Amino acid sequence: KKAKDLKNRIANLTLILVNELKGKKAEEIEERLQRDIKQLELDLKYIQSKLDKIAKQNTFHLIVFQLLNENRVQGCVERLGNSLESFHHLSRQIITFFKQQQVTLDDIQLSTKNMEKKLENVERTTMQSVQAILGEKRYQGDGSNGFSPGRGIIPVAPHIFFGRDTIVNDFVHALVSQKTTMARICLLGPGGMGKTSIARTVLHHPSVVEHFGKENRVWVPCIKATSVSLLKDTLYDSLGVSLNTGDPLRDILHDLESSKSPIILLLDNFETPWNLHSRPEVQDILSQLAKLKHVALFVTMRSSQPPGDSIHWESVHLKAVDEEASISIYTQIDPDASLSPELTSLLDEVGHMPLAITLMAKLGKNLGSTPTELLEQYKNGGTAVMSLGGSTEQNMDICIGLSVESQPMKDSPSAAKLLAVLALLPVGTTLKALSQWWARNVVPNGTIMSGLGTLLDTSLVEKRADTFFVLPVIRRYVLNPERFSEDIRKKTVQGACTFLKEHNASPGESTYLAHKTARSLEETNLQGILLETT
């Protein structure tokens, strides 16, 4: 019902767009505008067809096909966003209306717990109110449309927060000590490491609040910015821009330039727009923001490299917390676990990743399960065990899946196969060994370096010294039998057998020491591959 309602609203909006041109002869309408309208018509029909499929599903199918439906809706959002790029001559209210529909599309995720609450909010947006807005306010050239929404809301600082004090203090010092040009900070690392938690803590730090003021701390959630237009809209709304010229980026820059006080922009989950095929446009937006000396930029993203080569970043690649911090996080949530002798084993198994620790502790508390019981469940069920809901903060599979299913991974067929091979190697390996043995039967040798580059860019693989390896929780995710290719396992086993066959020199032979050293370096990987194979 709600999907059909959305379809009808978009259809009504089409009439509003046509109304902009009523009374004009065909020859009076420029050819480019005609093409744009025709393309928009095709896009809207496409969206209608996709939403119809969702609307026709019964309740059981809505639950079973939730992920498929989300992907369909996301495709609609992207297609609609691309169409909007052609309509800069129309009023900002129309663009805002489309963005509101994107929020509506996001809400059709059919979560069984909060769907009714979300749909009640959607109900409030009516076609009549949008038409009233469109008819009431137009840009008059004075830089104002009579509406000043104010800054977006900053999420509160986490109340359970251990092991990151040094990083927070370093970032706070970098932000408040700059006098001429504000800092450019980038926090990198895989999903689940606590980048957003650190960012929230920094923004709420008393020194940052005092330096920038409450109103000049701006939270920009980029995770839904799946097109350039949506990135601009997200910036526009987060800043509370009131200027309305029809060019959102121009309005954003004007708003920032008109401020006399220092401002901090927190671009959270910036990997979403950065990984788009339209990266040059995203980089241009970032570069223009970086030119504003009184604007501090704080970026968090799932990557190993900061965005934009022309910007000098102070960057930190976030690692797992230490054992003491891990225990503190877990026992703060589930105090009873402090008596368990298996707690440290469970924390080791999840690699001391903050999100994994948090989810495990909440499971233990909710179910009354001990770390020993959770460890057994995790070894049997993998990351699927760590599920408390349908968001990245509540579900480990969703959190990791955002990186595994990201655009760079889709664009690099070798990357996913290399990730699977590296997941089979408990202690990781070198580029040389990967090329000569582990991956030589899995991917073309010429694609290994580019594939590794993609895995590093998405923070699915880390590099220490000369060794590439996959974090324990990500390994569990990749090795799930439902998504792991047995053909890759078979080829990796063949690589291990070939390696042993070609490194079998006996004492006294000239190559014995070299072969012994090679076997020693790969011993743990060989055991992991061969002893777990049936």
Side-chain angles (χ1 to χ4, degrees):
K1 177 182 177 181
K2 297 302 177 182
K4 284 184 177 179
D5 180 56
L6 177 59
K7 178 198 70 173
N8 291 333
R9 290 180 184 180
I10 295 179
N12 287 336
L13 183 58
T14 306
L15 297 178
I16 294 175
L17 294 175
V18 172
N19 189 55
E20 293 281 327
L21 304 172
K22 72 178 181 180
K24 293 185 179 180
K25 296 180 181 180
E27 57 269 20
E28 294 176 341
I29 302 174
E30 60 179 288
E31 183 180 351
R32 177 183 174 185
L33 182 56
Q34 293 184 41
R35 290 199 308 269
D36 291 342
I37 292 174
K38 184 63 178 177
Q39 182 60 49
L40 180 62
E41 178 187 9
L42 294 174
D43 289 339
L44 292 177
K45 287 181 178 178
Y46 169 85
I47 291 170
Q48 287 177 2
S49 68
K50 293 300 180 183
L51 294 180
D52 274 340
K53 290 182 180 180
I54 298 175
K56 292 176 182 177
Q57 295 175 7
N58 59 38
T59 304
F60 175 76
H61 287 154
L62 289 175
I63 296 173
V64 172
F65 298 119
Q66 179 176 348
L67 182 58
L68 178 60
N69 287 336
E70 288 177 356
N71 290 336
R72 286 173 175 167
V73 170
Q74 186 58 41
C76 293
V77 172
E78 293 179 6
R79 190 151 181 165
L80 194 57
N82 292 334
S83 290
L84 287 177
E85 294 285 356
S86 303
F87 287 88
H88 294 305
H89 67 288
L90 295 176
S91 73
R92 176 70 194 175
Q93 282 78 12
I94 291 179
I95 297 177
T96 301
F97 173 73
F98 269 110
K99 199 188 76 60
Q100 290 172 341
Q101 299 314 300
Q102 183 264 331
V103 174
T104 304
L105 286 165
D106 287 340
D107 283 344
I108 306 179
Q109 294 180 359
L110 310 169
S111 170
T112 55
K113 289 186 178 180
N114 59 11
M115 182 173 70
E116 288 303 322
K117 182 178 180 181
K118 288 185 177 181
L119 293 178
E120 285 175 7
N121 294 332
V122 174
E123 193 76 19
R124 298 170 190 161
T125 304
T126 64
M127 197 62 218
Q128 289 76 17
S129 64
V130 173
Q131 288 173 322
I133 293 173
L134 287 169
E136 181 181 347
K137 298 290 182 181
R138 298 291 181 192
Y139 174 60
Q140 302 296 327
D142 61 354
S144 174
N145 64 0
F147 177 61
S148 181
R151 305 287 197 216
I153 298 174
I154 301 174
V156 297
H159 67 281
I160 298 177
F161 189 76
F162 296 96
R164 304 300 197 192
D165 291 346
T166 300
I167 294 175
V168 169
N169 292 335
D170 288 346
F171 282 170
V172 169
H173 179 265
L175 288 168
V176 303
S177 63
Q178 302 290 343
K179 301 302 180 184
T180 53
T181 300
M182 291 293 104
R184 308 285 182 253
I185 294 173
C186 190
L187 186 54
L188 306 165
M193 278 298 176
K195 298 182 296 297
T196 299
S197 294
I198 291 174
R200 287 158 53 190
T201 302
V202 169
L203 282 192
H204 286 285
H205 193 282
S207 297
V208 172
V209 176
E210 180 182 358
H211 184 77
F212 292 97
K214 290 184 177 181
E215 294 301 317
N216 283 344
R217 301 167 302 136
V218 184
W219 181 272
V220 187
C222 299
I223 194 167
K224 297 293 184 181
T226 53
S227 68
V228 175
S229 61
L230 284 177
L231 174 60
K232 294 175 184 177
D233 280 344
T234 303
L235 280 164
Y236 188 99
D237 291 342
S238 297
L239 283 162
V241 177
S242 57
L243 180 64
N244 175 17
T245 66
D247 183 344
L249 182 57
R250 174 180 158 188
D251 298 341
I252 290 164
L253 295 173
H254 180 274
D255 183 87
L256 291 170
E257 289 167 350
S258 63
S259 174
K260 304 299 182 183
S261 304
I263 298 173
I264 177 171
L265 290 183
L266 191 289
L267 305 173
D268 191 41
N269 288 113
F270 193 70
E271 73 277 352
T272 299
W274 186 249
N275 288 337
L276 296 172
H277 287 149
S278 48
R279 179 176 289 186
E281 296 177 66
V282 176
Q283 183 162 344
D284 180 64
I285 294 172
L286 194 62
S287 297
Q288 292 196 57
L289 293 174
K291 289 178 182 177
L292 305 175
K293 294 184 177 181
H294 69 293
V295 177
L297 295 180
F298 188 170
V299 170
T300 73
M301 60 188 297
R302 299 176 180 217
S303 181
S304 61
Q305 296 295 328
D309 297 332
S310 61
I311 303 173
H312 178 68
W313 295 99
E314 295 181 47
S315 62
V316 172
H317 189 92
L318 203 56
K319 307 294 183 184
V321 295
D322 59 29
E323 184 176 294
E324 181 181 355
S326 296
I327 293 174
S328 297
I329 294 171
Y330 198 106
T331 55
Q332 185 78 11
I333 298 169
D334 184 11
D336 293 341
S338 60
L339 303 175
S340 173
E342 289 292 331
L343 177 57
T344 54
S345 297
L346 176 61
L347 298 175
D348 288 340
E349 195 70 27
V350 299
H352 300 274
M353 178 184 282
L355 178 60
I357 298 167
T358 301
L359 292 176
M360 279 297 194
K362 288 181 177 180
L363 279 171
K365 182 177 181 180
N366 294 345
L367 301 177
S369 300
T370 66
T372 303
E373 293 168 334
L374 290 173
L375 181 59
E376 182 179 356
Q377 289 293 321
Y378 180 62
K379 288 182 176 179
N380 292 330
T383 52
V385 171
M386 292 184 279
S387 174
L388 296 174
S391 69
T392 55
E393 296 83 10
Q394 298 174 306
N395 191 305
M396 185 56 69
D397 278 359
I398 293 177
C399 178
I400 298 173
L402 285 177
S403 298
V404 173
E405 298 166 13
S406 63
Q407 193 60 53
M409 291 293 290
K410 294 176 182 177
D411 294 339
S412 177
S414 294
K417 294 180 179 179
L418 284 173
L419 178 62
V421 171
L422 286 167
L424 288 170
L425 308 175
V427 295
T429 192
T430 63
L431 173 60
K432 181 179 179 181
L434 195 63
S435 303
Q436 289 185 343
W437 309 109
W438 306 123
R440 72 177 185 180
N441 297 323
V442 179
V443 298
N445 197 59
T447 65
I448 289 179
M449 292 190 70
S450 63
L452 281 175
T454 298
L455 293 174
L456 289 171
D457 285 343
T458 53
S459 275
L460 287 167
V461 163
E462 296 201 359
K463 183 183 180 184
R464 293 178 188 168
D466 296 328
T467 301
F468 297 89
F469 66 97
V470 182
L471 295 175
V473 174
I474 299 177
R475 282 191 69 223
R476 284 282 181 182
Y477 174 91
V478 174
L479 294 176
N480 185 313
E482 294 182 4
R483 62 175 67 93
F484 190 80
S485 169
E486 284 304 313
D487 181 61
I488 290 180
R489 186 188 300 274
K490 180 180 178 181
K491 289 178 178 178
T492 308
V493 169
Q494 290 174 346
C497 293
T498 303
F499 176 88
L500 289 171
K501 184 178 180 180
E502 298 186 14
H503 292 82
N504 62 351
S506 301
E509 296 183 32
S510 60
T511 57
Y512 173 70
L513 288 179
H515 285 191
K516 180 182 178 181
T517 300
R519 290 198 304 269
S520 297
L521 290 173
E522 298 292 343
E523 182 176 2
T524 303
N525 289 331
L526 290 164
Q527 291 179 354
I529 293 170
L530 298 176
L531 297 183
E532 294 180 11
T533 299
T534 58

